[in-house]
Structure formats: structure tokens, C-alpha cells
Amino acid sequence: MAEFWAEWGMLAYGAAALWAFFEGETFVLVAAAAGAATGVVDPWILMISVWLGSFAGDQTWFTLGRKFGPAALRRWPNAEAKVARCSGLLERYGALFVLSFRFLYGIRNVASAACGIAGMDHKRFAVLNFIAAGIWAASFVAAGWFLGALLGPTRLLWCLAGVAVTVVCVILLRRVLRNRRVAQAGAGG
């Protein structure tokens, strides 16, 4: 990651913003940790980059949800359950949900679209989203920075390798369990 920043310079911050547009927790943590361990990444520029990227991504999903949401849900029925869950949380918690959904794994983009589908006021969503994106960016950059400073470059590399192996194992285990459930449901039905 440090080599990426050293080679690409300011363009690397643009890549971080683009990554945060879609998701980006892991990328932000690793970039910040690499910055702390090597001094190549400026945490303030990284934070502002991912703040704006995350904000823009959620605004985009909100607008798409508002404009195409019901029609898109008919085309992707698997998303309907997630949107229903997000809509329920939005109805129950309101602004608090908008301020916190990006910290809930796997629902960030769907939550933004669900807010649009639910007819939330565009300006209200934009203000809450801007605040939430800033909190998210600051917290993930800070967490990565402190992790990188605590571990140093060598231990950080080993920890990242361990995390990568763990993530791959969890994904494979989930697939095996899902396939087993599908096979059992097919045999029982």
C-alpha cells in the first residue's frame, strides 16, 4: 500500500475517494495504517478524500433509490429484504439510522437507496449524510493510523496477511454453509 501511495502521489487519494464511494472500510484502515507505519500517507488528506467519496457515493445511491427504487426492487428481488430491513430501521430510528448505517456491515448502499425510496427529504439526508461520512472517515482513518503506529511496518504486514486469510476462510465457509442449506432445502422440498 505504501508503494501505491509513493508511486501515485495525489492520485492515490483520488483512488481512496473512489473506493470509499462504493465501500472502503478495509481500504481506509490499511491506507491509514500504512501511512502511520511509513509516513507516506497524509492522514488529513486521506480523511477528506474518503469523507467526500463516501458522501458522494451515498448521495448517488439515495438519488438512484428515489428515482428508480421501486422498479429496481422488482428487478432484484434479493435486495427487497435488505431494503425492507433498512426501511424499518429508518422508520424506527430516523436521523440516528442515517448517522449510523455506514457502520452496520453490508447495508450501507442499500440503506442510502432505502432512504430515497422511503421519500426522505433530500436536503435532510444530505446534511445527515455529510455529518455521518465525516464521522466515518475520521474514525476509520484514526483507527488505521493508531493500528499502524502500534504495530509498525513488519507486524502490520503480518497482521494484514492474517486478516486476509481469515476473510477468505470466512467467505468460503459461508459459501459451503449456504450451499449445504440450499441442498438440504432442495432435498426436503
Side-chain angles (χ1 to χ4, degrees):
M1 181 70 73
E3 294 85 16
F4 174 72
W5 244 267
E7 186 174 323
W8 288 87
M10 290 303 285
L11 289 176
Y13 296 103
L18 184 62
W19 200 283
F21 183 93
F22 295 103
E23 281 294 336
E25 291 84 2
T26 306
F27 187 86
V28 174
L29 285 169
V30 172
T38 64
V40 177
V41 180
D42 182 320
W44 296 105
I45 298 174
L46 177 63
M47 184 184 72
I48 291 168
S49 298
V50 298
W51 181 352
L52 296 176
S54 177
F55 172 74
D58 289 333
Q59 287 302 123
T60 300
W61 287 111
F62 175 87
T63 303
L64 291 172
R66 185 171 215 149
K67 188 166 183 154
F68 303 110
L73 286 179
R74 286 190 292 276
R75 295 188 74 190
W76 290 291
N78 294 340
E80 195 167 352
K82 281 187 178 182
V83 169
R85 179 176 174 229
C86 291
S87 295
L89 291 169
L90 176 62
E91 189 175 308
R92 185 171 181 185
Y93 297 106
L96 183 60
F97 175 68
V98 177
L99 291 171
S100 63
F101 69 70
R102 71 188 66 243
F103 294 96
L104 304 173
Y105 179 74
I107 67 165
R108 178 182 149 203
N109 295 337
V110 174
S112 298
C115 290
I117 292 169
M120 185 175 200
D121 179 67
H122 192 274
K123 287 180 185 175
R124 182 170 187 236
F125 180 81
V127 168
L128 292 170
N129 181 34
F130 188 75
I131 293 166
I135 293 168
W136 174 85
S139 62
F140 275 84
V141 169
W145 195 266
F146 289 123
L147 180 67
L150 178 70
L151 296 176
T154 304
R155 281 189 281 181
L156 177 63
L157 190 60
W158 282 106
C159 286
L160 292 175
V163 168
V165 168
T166 302
V167 167
V168 168
C169 289
V170 167
I171 290 170
L172 292 174
L173 180 62
R174 286 184 68 187
R175 284 186 183 170
V176 166
L177 293 174
R178 183 173 9 107
N179 290 342
R180 186 179 294 168
R181 277 194 305 268
V182 169
Q184 288 173 346

